[in-house]
Amino acid sequence: MLKAMPYIEFVIVIIFFAFGIYGLMRIKKTEKNLIWVGLAKETAHQFGTPLSSLIGWKDVLEMKFEGKKKNAEVLDILENMSSDIARLNKIASRFGKVGSIIERKPSNLHEIIQETIEYFRLRLPSQSQMIDLQYISRIEGLKIKIDPDLIKWTLENLIKNCIDALKNKEGFIKIEAFPNKNNIHIQITDNGKGIPKSMFKRIFEPGITTKERGWGLGLSLAKRIIEEYHKGIIRVQDSQMNIRTVIEIILPEE
């Protein structure tokens, strides 16, 4: 028994050491999450002041033209201002949801994807890019429990990344949605610059980006929304440099 004591002590030390490393990793992850949530909440808060100011200026303009005949240009400006302010309000609301308890409700995912694509279709010509934006759906009529705003935000981030990857050249972005067993798959493909294989997993970490500019927060936010809030999966399914990239989202049908 005495001869075995050094070995027993060694095993105990190893176990304590392993638990210590695990504990430190958990603390580090918790700290990172708290920083991330705090940043999102502060961003939502900072949106508030300029938004209030914009709403005020829009009201001033409307009062200025009250009772007067508004020409088409003025009406168009006021309508665009209202639309942009509503969108900024929605973005602030999305940031505010990070770290909060969200309520998922049965929603038509097909319509959410379609609305997001139409939003970009209207704006692509103004970016002087010849991009063929395609949507192939086999989920019409299907409803799954999601937070529509957060899913739309995720899709917007992914499509923006596709546009950036095309670098102002002609190309395509294809979104496919289809059921598979008890899940809904959404695959977003572009023929842009691609992602190196060594970055497939790291690309979803905060601060990691393949862009010349950017903070590397979009994909990490997408990962949090899909995996933590919707119990799904987001991954780089495939990428070949300067040929194509496929990002896949898998959401449980429940």
Side-chain angles (χ1 to χ4, degrees):
M1 184 67 180
L2 288 173
K3 287 181 180 180
M5 280 301 292
Y7 298 103
I8 294 169
E9 288 174 358
F10 179 73
V11 170
I12 291 169
V13 168
I14 292 294
I15 291 169
F16 271 106
F17 186 68
F19 271 107
I21 291 174
Y22 175 75
L24 284 171
M25 287 173 67
R26 292 290 298 175
I27 290 168
K28 189 175 179 182
K29 186 177 180 181
T30 302
E31 285 178 349
K32 189 184 284 186
N33 282 339
L34 288 172
I35 291 168
W36 177 239
V37 170
L39 178 63
K41 297 284 186 189
E42 181 61 21
T43 303
H45 175 71
Q46 292 297 333
F47 260 112
T49 304
L51 269 174
S52 299
S53 179
L54 282 170
I55 291 167
W57 279 111
K58 182 183 77 73
D59 290 343
V60 167
L61 281 171
E62 286 179 341
M63 286 168 63
K64 187 176 179 180
F65 287 97
E66 193 174 358
K68 298 178 183 178
K69 189 178 179 181
K70 302 182 184 78
N71 61 36
E73 187 180 359
V74 171
L75 285 170
D76 193 43
I77 289 169
L78 289 171
E79 188 178 334
N80 284 334
M81 281 184 72
S82 296
S83 176
D84 287 342
I85 288 168
R87 179 163 176 76
L88 285 170
N89 257 320
K90 188 172 281 188
I91 290 169
S93 169
R94 289 168 177 175
F95 271 109
K97 285 183 178 182
V98 176
S100 304
I101 296 171
I102 65 163
E103 185 182 348
R104 292 184 295 153
K105 56 186 179 183
S107 305
N108 190 317
L109 184 58
H110 167 75
E111 289 180 359
I112 289 166
I113 298 171
Q114 205 161 37
E115 284 170 14
T116 308
I117 290 169
E118 287 308 312
Y119 171 80
F120 280 97
R121 276 203 179 119
L122 291 170
R123 284 154 182 80
L124 279 175
S126 65
Q127 297 181 30
S128 302
Q129 284 187 256
M130 296 296 293
I131 296 175
D132 181 18
L133 194 50
Q134 308 164 15
Y135 178 37
I136 301 167
S137 174
R138 287 194 276 127
I139 59 167
E140 293 94 333
L142 275 177
K143 288 191 175 184
I144 62 171
K145 280 189 176 181
I146 55 172
D147 182 300
D149 269 349
L150 291 182
I151 291 296
K152 193 175 282 189
W153 196 11
T154 300
L155 293 169
E156 286 173 8
N157 269 319
L158 295 175
I159 294 172
K160 281 176 190 171
N161 282 349
C162 292
I163 293 169
D164 290 341
L166 288 165
K167 285 187 174 178
N168 296 317
K169 71 174 186 180
E170 291 186 18
F172 72 86
I173 299 169
K174 181 170 69 175
I175 295 99
E176 295 181 79
F178 56 91
N180 184 21
K181 296 180 180 177
N182 295 320
N183 299 311
I184 300 294
H185 292 243
I186 305 168
Q187 293 180 346
I188 302 173
T189 306
D190 69 72
N191 62 332
K193 63 180 181 179
I195 300 169
K197 201 162 189 176
S198 60
M199 297 282 285
F200 277 20
K201 289 185 179 178
R202 292 191 64 227
I203 200 75
F204 294 102
E205 294 176 12
I208 302 297
T209 180
T210 57
K211 301 177 190 176
E212 292 176 5
R213 295 180 180 180
W215 290 2
L217 295 178
L219 286 178
S220 61
L221 179 62
K223 183 179 176 68
R224 189 183 186 97
I225 289 169
I226 297 301
E227 297 191 353
E228 291 189 27
Y229 294 159
H230 291 87
K231 309 304 178 190
I233 296 168
I234 183 169
R235 64 188 180 188
V236 181
Q237 192 206 53
D238 181 42
S239 188
Q240 299 171 48
M241 300 304 291
N242 298 310
I243 297 175
R244 71 165 190 164
T245 295
V246 184
I247 302 288
E248 182 172 54
I249 295 170
I250 303 173
L251 294 169
E253 271 194 67
E254 295 185 11

